[in-house]
Amino acid sequence: MKLLRQQIEAKTGAGTATLLPEEPEDMWHAYNLIQPTDQIRAKAIRRISKDMGGGAVTSQRIALDLTIAVTSTDFDLASNELHVAGRVVSENEHVKLGSHHTLDLELNRKFTLEKVDGWDSVAVGMLAEACNTGSRAEMWAVVMGEGIANICLITEHQTILRNRVEVSVPRKGKGHMEQHNKGLEKFHSTLLGTLQRDMEGAKRDAQTEKTVPLLLASAGFYAQAFLQFVKEYAVRSGNKFLQALVPSIVVAHSAGEHVHNLAEVLASPACTAKLADAKFTRETALMDTFMKHMRLEDGRAAYGPREIERAVESGAVGRGGGVLLISNTLFRSHNLAERKRWVALVDRVKDVEGGEVRLLSSLHESGKRLEALGSIAAILTYPLEEMEEEEDEDVANGVHANDEEMII
Amino acid sequence: MPPKAGFSRAKNVGYDEDDIYDDYSEEEYAGDGEGEGTSEEDKEQMAAGVIKVREALGSEYKVKEAEIQDALWNYYYDVGKSVTFLKNKYAPKAPTPAKPKAVSRFDQAAGAADAKTPTSTGTPKAKAKTRGSADGEKLADSVEKLVVETKVKSKSLNVVDEYRNCALKRVSNFVVIGHVDHGKSTLMGRLLYDLKVVDERSVDKLRQEAETIGKSSFALAWLMDQTPEERSRGVTVDIATVPFETEQTSFTILDAPGHRDFIPNMIAGVSQADFAVLVVDAQENSFQSGLKGQTKEHALIVRSMGIQRLIVAVNKMDTVSWSKERFDKVRQATTAFFETASFSLKNITFIPCAGLTGDNVTKRVADDNADWYSGPTFLEALEASEPKARALERPLRLTINDVFRGSGQNPLSISGQIEAGTLQVGDVVLALPSRETATIKAIELPDGSPADWAVAGQIPTLHLVDIDAVHLRLGDLLCAPTAPVRLVKSFTCKMLAFEHVMPQFVDVFRGKQQVTGLITALASILNKNTGEVTRRKPRIVKPGEVARVRIELEGSAGLPLEVGARIVLRDGGRTVGAGLLESYT
């Protein structure tokens, strides 16, 4: 995203920013930035009906600049389109004040955003991040099993499921070996075809010559088998695209064929080496640290809105290792008071306590894991006592459990 | 409606005022216009209808052709209604008087099988629809199809009675579990070889092949591991299902993979088993790594999926020269683990054996060092294991374990274990989650012999018609259309935790079927034995604790689950817990 003009007063946060989205991912940033009650100005096409008198009505489509007060936003992940609905707040000769309009934000078309209540620290942070075009990691990933595969595109802020391939592969058994092999062959060629279409399409859209690396992940050796197939096919067909791709393929181990199995893959050494600094690998590592503390039950991890507020209150998320993990869904809340509550919390941790704040994208696996925990969690600097009350009778029960049937 | 109507429409050009409707309303039109004489299509429909009604009625009803034609005419060729009408009319002639409830259900099912029609009076719309699926399409298709259709003829057997009368051998399925490389496949290969299920020649051939790649000790395992991947890497990947028979019992081996990556396949095997054989390596190092690894995980999965009976085969005794001391040590360590895992020890038998040499598998040990052992052989222990009680009277439940092309005549076949109920040739079954129905054209037993029916516990191959292969996937459930299973999207279950559990994403396994789910709430920690709530709203569930949790499934399909269903929860390649379904919404 290119920042064309910025007029934000540091003190009050009042002001506007004019932005030009350039890459598909910028739409996702815009979606996170634009809140209900914000005012947004962009080029719109609107059909204007005119009463010519005597019952005759003519209508024509006019391109005009419209400013609307946002009431809702709608982000279509698959097509990467952002629709912003609202009411017109600046009158012009064609459109009446207060009439409804839905703006379709597009790539390479600028828009101006103004926050009625001023830009808070989180919004300013998001803006800075959206405009940072420095390091952009991107890769394709295929998480697969036997007869099933998910094709994903992983970018700095999103993991997008682009396609899912399912081909039934008959199992081994008396005399069906040939069917098994045939099924596998069909699965591989279907998967490769789909993958190739996806990757080439994306490459065309992005208009780059750069080959995006590909990650193949599976349990067992399904991924190796597929890599073998790709290699053979690339040689046999002489396909230039595939031949360029083959050297950039990484094979990794995952537990299963689901998209959420990517979390583990992204944390694996094979990937961290390739994507050393990508935001999502750091986030994944942080979530793992959090989980580790939870498992150790050393009291240095907490999750859930109320618990976290209490922890921040008592100064446990501060200097020396305190990390607040918060999902960006909380800031997309349509309830303004809710948003303010979280902004205040973030500000407090950052400015008063001196802890680290991490905004996790809800479109990544680490963010999804966080969402399961109530969208907010923290690694604490010291254990909070009252949060865990031990009950030892339970353990005692387990020991002499043999003579009785367990309930499950 | 699918565009299959094209054929009959072309024939019906004459009824032009009806052209805008599909052919079903045209048929109705034809039925209404009684005085107008019969068209060619009517005759065709009538002929087909008569055949169907005859099938549905079975041989005990002696009904004249004219009567059937009349009934069909009156009910606008609705086979189901005609059958009901005729059955009521000629009921006294039926040889079986006042059937008990179970019987009537089978009869009903058989009736439904042929007509695919609810016997209650439907609205005209429903009528058109059922006709669409039952008659319309097929009539419009071709005569060839009609011939196929007449082949699928239900004998309307009372399968439960048939089963009791024919005194079949006891059916018993067991799953073979244990850590990778502890010799599961080799032990099973040895068993088959010694029982002469496989002949000398094919084993010799495998031996030669194995020797050429320098893995001669794998020859017996290759009886189980048939794919090139499995053979070149020397690990089992997928369940091998192999039947064999002894004098009293027909067994089915479900040889599970030991490698941790293939636990989903292993779970599919466990869901079909009556009891389990846990293979452990007698050698110290390998035994210890197993106890930390899949010996433990497999045993826990088996336990939490409701299997009580366990045979522990202490394998590779030849490598520790049949040392009693070593056997006792293994027994002790394993027993200690079973106690913590709440197995009841009276259901566990320990057998020392050696799969590679065949000692104490089917015959006693030859080695003098083994004098101390006087217990049963492995095979004797298998025979001493009682299979689970079979729920014959309950509605049909069958989990699909494989979908394949049986042969040229049977383009679509499935196999899997019947968990409950019975089925017979001609039955209509409902596949979930696709909600498509299929008709059973033929049944094949594990040994390859054809059968008219099959009952719970057996693992038959079913040749299906009237369904497309895309609607059947591994792990899907076949059930009786009269008593289907609900597709559940969120449920509460009691969960035994194997690992730390927090609100998190998990893979929910029901046999081979697997859906991503989210543990949304940890409701309470329960007392293991009494089920009382000991703590509400825990933040984390520790390994070994039993908790009540709420799980929501992702996606639109859901899982076919019933109260009391057993599920396994996994995350990131580890089994985090096992659940018993309590309630669903």
Side-chain angles (χ1 to χ4, degrees), chain B residues 131-164:
Chain B
R131 266 216 232 171
S133 59
D135 315 12
E137 286 174 19
K138 265 154 250 148
L139 286 177
D141 262 343
S142 62
V143 185
E144 217 175 80
K145 185 105 192 230
L146 266 176
V147 178
V148 174
E149 187 59 19
T150 47
K151 267 190 203 159
V152 187
K153 183 159 138 187
S154 175
K155 292 189 177 165
S156 304
L157 300 170
N158 180 348
V159 180
V160 177
D161 285 350
E162 292 280 333
Y163 173 64
R164 297 219 169 100

Side-chain angles (χ1 to χ4, degrees), chain A residues 146 164 166 168-174 176-177 179-181 184 218-222 224-225 253-258 260-261 264 290-291 294-297 301-303 307 365 368-369 371-373 387-391 393-395 397-402 404-408, chain B residues 224-230 233 235-240 261-262 265 303 308 339 341-342 344 401-405 446 473-474 494-496 500 502-505 507 512 514 516 518 522 525-531 534-535 538-540 542 545-546 566 572-574 578-580:
Chain A
E146 193 173 53
R164 191 181 162 84
E166 246 181 289
S168 105
V169 178
R171 310 179 94 169
K172 64 183 182 183
K174 30 158 193 183
H176 311 146
M177 273 319 301
Q179 285 186 43
H180 173 86
N181 295 341
L184 210 56
S218 78
F221 25 76
Y222 301 126
Q224 269 99 338
H253 180 273
S254 76
E257 63 270 25
H258 294 284
H260 68 248
N261 292 125
E264 166 208 6
F290 167 79
M291 294 290 181
M294 275 312 281
R295 259 180 228 126
L296 289 174
E297 295 178 79
Y303 68 85
E307 294 232 23
E365 281 324 301
K368 288 230 171 85
R369 273 200 277 172
E371 242 173 276
L373 295 166
M387 286 164 84
E388 183 88 71
E389 56 244 38
E390 273 302 325
E391 282 178 57
E393 39 149 346
D394 200 47
V395 183
N397 272 333
V399 179
H400 58 78
N402 296 316
E404 287 179 77
E405 284 289 298
M406 195 159 60
I407 48 166
I408 171 163
Chain B
M224 297 285 159
D225 300 344
Q226 296 155 337
T227 66
E229 289 274 56
E230 289 180 324
R233 288 171 205 264
V235 252
T236 310
V237 171
D238 205 350
I239 290 278
D261 276 357
F262 308 116
N265 294 337
R303 165 69 186 79
Q308 298 286 350
E339 275 177 352
S342 311
S344 71
N401 192 38
D402 194 5
V403 181
F404 56 97
R405 195 184 160 85
R473 288 178 315 170
L474 302 188
K494 277 195 287 232
M495 178 195 71
L496 170 68
H500 288 89
M502 282 183 280
Q504 65 185 76
F505 285 97
D507 294 338
K512 178 90 185 166
Q514 162 187 12
T516 306
L518 175 62
L522 310 176
I525 303 272
L526 307 176
N527 181 307
K528 263 190 182 177
N529 305 316
T530 59
T534 58
R535 186 148 42 99
R539 296 170 59 247
I540 187 163
K542 283 176 266 176
E545 285 183 328
V546 176
R566 305 250 179 195
R574 284 196 306 260
L580 181 68

Side-chain angles (χ1 to χ4, degrees), chain B residues 409-424:
Chain B
Q409 287 174 323
N410 302 313
L412 184 55
S413 307
I414 60 121
S415 73
Q417 195 210 17
I418 307 179
E419 288 158 30
T422 58
L423 52 81
Q424 58 180 308

